[in-house]
Amino acid sequence: MTSTQARAAIILAAGQGTRMKSPLPKVLHPVGGRAMLDHAIDAAEALGCERIVVVVGDHSPEVRAHVAKRLGEAAIAVQDPPLGTGHAVLAARDAMAGFEGEVIITYGDVPLLKGRDIEAAFGGGDGVTVVGFEARDPTGYGRLLIDADGGLEAIVEHKEASPDQLRVTVCNSGVMAAPAALLFDLLAEVRNDNAKGEYYLTDVVELARGRGAPTRTVMAGEDAVMGVNAQAELAVAEALFQKVQRETFLAAGVTMPDPGTVHFSFDTEVGGGATIEPYVVFGPGAKIAGGARIRSFSHIEGATVAAGAEVGPYARLRPGADLGEGVKVGNFVEVKNVRMDAGAKANHLSYLGDGVVGAKANIGAGTIFCNYDGFFKHRTTVGEGAFVGSNSSLVAPVTIGAGAMVGSGSVVTADVAPGDLALARGVQTAKAGWAARFMAAMRAKKAAKSA
């Protein structure tokens, strides 16, 4: 069934996350370089939700600030004190005022869930839809009991299930959808007469059936609805995320001899025909064109690499690095906020920060762009076809003109005109016989001490 109603999402993110044992709030822990909460918001946006409300706890100002920055203050609802999942959804009632469409309830600690996984939850008519999954091991999960007509009869918690019910493998993901008016009417009837004194969202299924409202189940994959409550589960979620990323890039024609050693971010772009060698890490914002080669033990974040370029091994590209076609950035080279035009090379042991390297320019081993004066960053420009000798320091702001040369070991503090040679180093002098006399004196002194 296809829904034509407006859509909204309520994302529950008020848990304290004590099992994470971390000062960072649970839902802000990253998977694939992105906070779990942002993954949940992404899913809601992919579903076309015109209103998204995130329920936060009063104990996590960092989560509130995160939501405000991305969605604005109007998207925040506060649950204080925490009294269960049903109470958390009720906390969003004011923020949902005036909304008359369907609402889906998701969670800020379910990072692998995509909009496509739960699209079918919408369109349930005037009833309640619960997203279920087939569990490989259902131990501990609430079971979804489905009647002969395919309707959802009840949700039974594991500890309250009969032996026959425990054999059911269709489990409750916690994700639920319903018309907004019905949802909040049902939640108003939920009671907290249980051992924990909490208001459970799952109770709305029984209440809906009591009213004669339809209840149904749609299915999602178990991995997609996986929740994260501890560091070990976070690691599992990361591994599952990476598995999907690797399979996606392999299917797109990316060559990876050892894909299990390559770590992608949520927004990594790699074109078909690119080669990614083992032990490469992509942070957020990396864009690699087809035909590029990323060699082993390189780290790339916020950088763009064009076709035919080669990076590494052991290279680091930081945000703003922009490598043109055929550029070579070799071992132990760090590039930050520098555009390198076609055919430029920095093959060894250099730091290039804030500037431009022209086409076919050569940066010698050990070259440093001295871009920071302790207060401000300054830019270095190396012109097309210029040659910078090894172990040179270019003190920004400075420009090396097209076709110019910088002699090895120079400290360049002034612009070099196109075609000129710059030499900026001390004059070499020689003291005849000094080294031989010094060594002889030291040997004699050592012998005297040993006597």
Side-chain angles (χ1 to χ4, degrees), residues 51 56 140 144 210 231 353 414:
R51 192 177 303 189
V56 305
L144 300 185
Q231 295 290 349

Side-chain angles (χ1 to χ4, degrees), residues 359-403:
K360 298 184 179 179
N362 185 86
I363 306 297
T367 295
I368 298 172
F369 286 10
C370 305
N371 58 330
Y372 185 50
D373 63 8
F375 297 93
F376 303 102
K377 298 289 180 70
H378 303 281
R379 292 177 64 78
T380 297
T381 299
V382 178
E384 181 176 350
F387 182 95
V388 179
S390 298
N391 201 34
S392 294
S393 297
L394 308 184
V395 182
V398 70
T399 296
I400 311 301

